[in-house]
Amino acid sequence: MATITSLKGNHIWPRIAMHRRTSFVGKPAALVFGKRPIQAPVKLHLDVSTVVSLNVDHQDEVVRPKTNFAPCMWGDTFSYCTILLDNQVIEENIEEIKTLKEEVWHMIMSSEKDIIEKMSLIDTLERLGISYHFEEEIEDQLSNMFDLNVIHEEDDLYNVALYFRLFRQHGYPISSDHFNQFKDNNGKFKEALLTDAKGLLSLYEAAYVRKHGDDILDEALIFAKSHLERITPILESTLEKQVTHALMQPLHKGLPRIEAHFNISIYEECGSRNDKLLRFAKLDYNLLQLLHKKELSELTLWWKDLKLVSELPYIRDRIVECFLCAIGVYFEPQYSQARIMLTKCIVMLSVLDDTYDSYGTLDELLLFTKAVERWDLREIDRLPSYMKTIYSTLLNLFKDYDIEVKELNTFNGVCYVKEAMKEIVRSYYIEAKWFIKGNVPLFEEYLNNALITGAFYLLVPASLLGMRSTSKASFDWILNKPKILLASAIVGRVVDDIASYKVEKERGQLVTGIECYMKEHNLSIEEVNEKLFKLVENAWKALNKELIKPTSMSAEVQMRIVNFTRIPDVVYKNNQDGYSDPKYNLKPLVESLLVHPIHM
């Protein structure tokens, strides 16, 4: 049986054939976007965004919505993990990765490389998805180069933008004033830059790490984007693919594993590629895919054993898509158990969301809300039959969490996640009352509640449960809803609202962020969307600011929040709800990440 272990032992791969057991409420935080503060007490991918019609349940004569969600499209694809490579081949690949990893380590630490070579190497490692093997080494190199103020000596647009983006993404307080050198005497970006496609692309990507006050990067984004769109058709093939992809999915907003798959294919086309780096990236990608497939196989069997899909036909059957989101939060091998635990929380939350949004009566939902608040299995007798299954499954899941975390011998934050679950259920009930009674709240009241139902206040602490490095300080920090978490929640909520508005309106849903804003301010849908897009943009700026050192929390924990923030940009691409109907946005991603290995 093959055990996958990294060279330095930082990242221990679980045995591919291993069988696992299956078994916060904080004070409000205020964050200012523009001039108006928004008090924290935005839905992730859990909104109903499909046509729903009324249907009479003849057993109890209760009028319930009849959902028409697309069924699970994966069948038994992931029910049983079939590893096509035998153990000997896997062991050989592991050994080759160890050898290649040592060679790349020497490349990073080499004193013979100049600054641009080192920065380009770091950028390549991150784009190819293998930088997690060298986190400490990369951090040391960036720290040394930042202290040397290497960007001050650069006058090439591509290099300046690359340095700036890498420093910002790693939390260094680099100034955007370095881009002033690319403006003319009239304060406009120089026309000479228009012929520098690679420089414009680098500038475009750098603009997405801007914070409030980086006005020059607001201008840079408009400048670079408009000219890249104009010149894309005349670019050479590989660069054209890069630009087209970046315009659709900026690097800073993309999920690392998805971006790695794309960038490996691009790097293979580059004449200046390092073949050892390319092979390292491919081997590592495919080996990680085997681990992810094994995890998904375990989750699929757990999900089927629960029989919730057959007992609750109104829910969305999305265990695969939930796991994809968990990979988006952390793909690295050391987070294997955390991914499984987080996926179970996401899919459980999806069941609750569909119950409150699409099926339960107000009386039933009140009973369920009170039962969750009491968190006692004896409450189950008060619930209608279909809710008993949900309630027992929820409580059993948290019992399993408690056992698993104790076995990890790390801080047990299950009680924090339990309180966050109670909080989101209370807010689901508030939303249900608005919808069923036809009450349209003011936008601020709506958003204060929607920040909770957006799920990030629950899912972020849930993502820490299986992390061996977690601590009480981490959970306490999240409990207080720091600014970075509030910014993330706003992105998730508002992006969801914009994407799901049309379908929700078709089914008569009046309590959406867009409807609340339109009614309160007497604006058109186009005007409201413009306001909400601006809110999302400002939230990203606020998030970027919170990543700049010194910070009050470790980069490892903060990166979970950053990756959660990236998920809506991928799931709701082109204003389509990829969770409720995965065939457009998520199906090709699942296939590339979990079905098809990269050709060697």
Side-chain angles (χ1 to χ4, degrees):
M1 194 177 297
T3 304
I4 306 175
T5 310
S6 71
L7 177 66
K8 293 175 64 178
N10 293 333
H11 308 293
I12 306 302
W13 293 65
R15 292 179 179 269
I16 292 241
M18 182 174 69
H19 178 72
R20 287 185 192 278
R21 295 178 317 280
T22 55
S23 356
F24 54 97
V25 183
K27 61 185 180 182
L31 183 59
V32 175
F33 296 103
K35 296 183 179 180
R36 180 173 181 172
I38 294 179
Q39 198 74 15
V42 256
K43 245 175 177 178
L44 176 56
H45 49 279
L46 304 177
D47 270 351
V48 173
S49 50
T50 189
V51 177
V52 181
S53 57
L54 292 179
N55 178 51
V56 177
D57 184 335
H58 294 287
Q59 182 176 356
D60 53 12
E61 296 300 316
V62 174
V63 178
R64 301 183 187 276
K66 180 181 179 181
T67 57
N68 295 311
F69 292 125
C72 174
M73 64 175 63
W74 303 106
D76 291 326
T77 303
F78 301 106
S79 294
Y80 302 95
C81 179
T82 302
I83 299 178
L84 299 180
L85 299 175
D86 61 29
N87 284 343
Q88 181 179 351
V89 174
I90 293 175
E91 292 287 3
E92 289 173 355
N93 288 345
I94 294 170
E95 289 304 312
E96 185 174 0
I97 285 178
K98 287 183 180 180
T99 301
L100 290 168
K101 181 174 177 178
E102 186 167 4
E103 292 183 28
V104 174
W105 183 88
H106 286 291
M107 292 168 59
I108 297 171
M109 306 304 293
S110 173
S111 59
E112 297 179 1
K113 290 185 178 296
D114 60 26
I115 299 299
I116 184 58
E117 287 179 317
K118 286 194 173 185
M119 295 296 269
S120 295
L121 176 59
I122 291 171
D123 183 46
T124 299
L125 293 173
E126 293 186 349
R127 287 177 180 269
L128 295 180
I130 51 179
S131 60
Y132 74 93
H133 289 284
F134 312 100
E135 289 177 351
E136 292 182 7
E137 293 85 351
I138 288 174
E139 194 59 41
D140 288 343
Q141 292 294 316
L142 287 173
S143 179
N144 291 336
M145 287 186 281
F146 182 78
D147 290 342
L148 292 173
N149 197 20
V150 295
I151 196 172
H152 182 70
E153 302 174 2
E154 271 295 340
D155 59 3
D156 178 79
L157 178 60
Y158 175 88
N159 291 343
V160 170
L162 173 63
Y163 294 1
F164 178 86
R165 176 173 59 79
L166 288 176
F167 283 136
R168 272 284 176 93
Q169 286 180 321
H170 285 263
Y172 291 92
I174 190 77
S175 173
S176 58
D177 290 344
H178 291 288
F179 292 100
N180 284 326
Q181 63 179 301
F182 301 108
K183 285 190 167 186
D184 59 26
N185 294 333
N186 296 318
K188 304 292 184 182
F189 281 100
K190 297 175 181 178
E191 289 190 10
L193 301 176
L194 301 182
T195 59
D196 183 5
K198 290 184 178 180
L200 288 173
L201 179 57
S202 186
L203 177 63
Y204 169 83
E205 296 285 24
Y208 281 97
V209 299
R210 69 196 187 281
K211 58 179 178 60
H212 288 292
D214 289 330
D215 296 343
I216 191 171
L217 291 179
D218 289 331
E219 301 171 35
L221 180 59
I222 297 171
F223 172 79
K225 184 178 181 179
S226 62
H227 290 294
L228 286 171
E229 289 173 340
R230 178 180 57 83
I231 66 175
T232 299
I234 62 174
L235 297 175
E236 57 89 9
S237 175
T238 302
L239 184 56
E240 185 272 334
K241 292 177 184 177
Q242 289 177 281
V243 171
T244 299
H245 181 81
L247 290 172
M248 180 273 296
Q249 183 60 72
L251 182 63
H252 185 54
K253 292 186 176 183
L255 294 173
R257 207 68 196 145
I258 297 170
E259 295 306 296
H261 185 275
F262 170 77
N263 284 308
I264 288 172
S265 67
I266 288 295
Y267 191 65
E268 189 165 22
E269 296 180 11
C270 295
S272 59
R273 69 179 180 272
N274 182 307
D275 286 331
K276 290 184 177 180
L277 279 183
L278 179 61
R279 184 162 179 81
F280 184 6
K282 287 184 173 184
L283 285 170
D284 193 71
Y285 186 95
N286 288 344
L287 209 53
L288 263 175
Q289 187 184 78
L290 290 179
L291 175 62
H292 293 161
K293 288 170 74 171
K294 178 59 185 172
E295 294 166 359
L296 181 53
S297 175
E298 177 183 325
L299 284 163
T300 301
L301 293 175
W302 167 82
W303 178 240
K304 289 188 174 184
D305 286 345
L306 291 178
K307 297 181 173 60
L308 292 182
V309 175
S310 58
E311 294 185 28
L312 307 170
Y314 62 87
I315 66 172
R316 286 165 289 184
D317 185 3
R318 297 291 183 269
I319 188 68
V320 175
E321 290 75 16
C322 290
F323 182 64
L324 180 69
C325 291
I327 291 177
V329 176
Y330 27 34
F331 67 86
E332 299 88 341
Q334 70 268 30
Y335 299 120
S336 179
Q337 186 165 0
R339 266 190 301 277
I340 291 176
M341 295 173 74
L342 176 59
T343 302
K344 291 179 179 181
C345 188
I346 297 173
V347 76
M348 189 71 239
L349 195 57
S350 181
V351 172
L352 293 175
D353 183 68
D354 289 343
T355 301
Y356 276 81
D357 237 11
S358 308
Y359 195 77
T361 68
L362 207 52
D363 289 341
E364 291 171 347
L365 296 176
L366 179 59
L367 287 173
F368 190 85
T369 303
K370 289 181 177 180
V372 172
E373 192 68 38
R374 295 184 181 109
W375 207 274
D376 187 337
L377 194 57
R378 289 174 295 185
E379 293 292 319
I380 201 167
D381 292 334
R382 302 174 184 266
L383 301 174
S385 59
Y386 79 96
M387 281 185 165
K388 291 178 180 180
T389 301
I390 303 172
Y391 191 68
S392 61
T393 302
L394 176 63
L395 268 58
N396 287 335
L397 175 61
F398 275 74
K399 283 184 180 179
D400 289 344
Y401 282 166
D402 198 52
I403 294 170
E404 292 180 61
V405 172
K406 286 178 180 177
E407 290 183 351
L408 283 173
N409 197 27
T410 187
F411 177 76
N412 191 337
V414 173
C415 61
Y416 290 80
V417 183
K418 185 186 297 182
E419 291 306 310
M421 180 63 78
K422 293 179 182 179
E423 180 185 43
I424 197 171
V425 165
R426 290 194 296 268
S427 289
Y428 277 156
Y429 180 69
I430 292 172
E431 278 190 352
K433 280 201 300 184
W434 286 338
F435 179 33
I436 293 172
K437 293 185 176 182
N439 298 330
V440 181
L442 296 177
F443 180 73
E444 185 174 359
E445 182 184 3
Y446 163 82
L447 186 59
N448 285 340
N449 191 71
L451 285 167
I452 299 169
T453 60
F456 286 3
Y457 292 164
L458 166 65
L459 295 179
V460 171
S463 72
L464 304 185
L465 287 179
M467 290 170 51
R468 295 179 183 274
S469 58
T470 193
S471 65
K472 183 178 185 299
S474 303
F475 284 98
D476 285 336
W477 180 73
I478 290 171
L479 175 73
N480 288 312
K481 296 184 173 70
K483 291 180 179 180
I484 187 173
L485 180 55
L486 176 55
S488 176
I490 288 174
V491 172
R493 173 72 269 174
V494 176
V495 170
D496 179 314
D497 273 0
I498 294 171
S500 59
Y501 171 70
K502 182 178 179 182
V503 174
E504 288 191 334
K505 185 177 181 180
E506 288 175 352
R507 74 181 181 94
Q509 171 64 282
L510 297 178
V511 188
T512 66
I514 290 177
E515 285 291 342
C516 294
Y517 207 105
M518 287 173 64
K519 182 176 180 180
E520 181 177 350
H521 298 283
N522 194 27
L523 297 175
S524 67
I525 178 64
E526 293 78 16
E527 291 171 321
V528 173
N529 278 340
E530 184 179 348
K531 297 283 187 182
L532 295 184
F533 279 127
K534 187 65 176 178
L535 184 60
V536 170
E537 182 181 299
N538 285 334
W540 267 106
K541 290 180 180 180
L543 181 146
N544 291 334
K545 179 181 183 297
E546 294 304 308
L547 295 173
I548 297 176
K549 300 172 184 177
T551 61
S552 57
M553 186 45 58
S554 69
E556 182 184 24
V557 172
Q558 286 188 320
M559 193 48 58
R560 307 290 75 80
I561 298 176
V562 173
N563 284 339
F564 267 115
T565 316
R566 290 164 166 161
I567 291 173
D569 197 73
V570 174
V571 173
Y572 294 118
K573 187 64 65 183
N574 301 319
N575 287 343
Q576 294 177 331
D577 184 352
Y579 183 75
S580 293
D581 190 0
K583 65 177 176 290
Y584 297 115
N585 287 352
L586 298 190
K587 183 173 183 282
L589 302 182
V590 170
E591 289 174 341
S592 62
L593 267 62
L594 295 167
V595 178
H596 307 303
I598 291 180
H599 179 67
M600 297 299 299

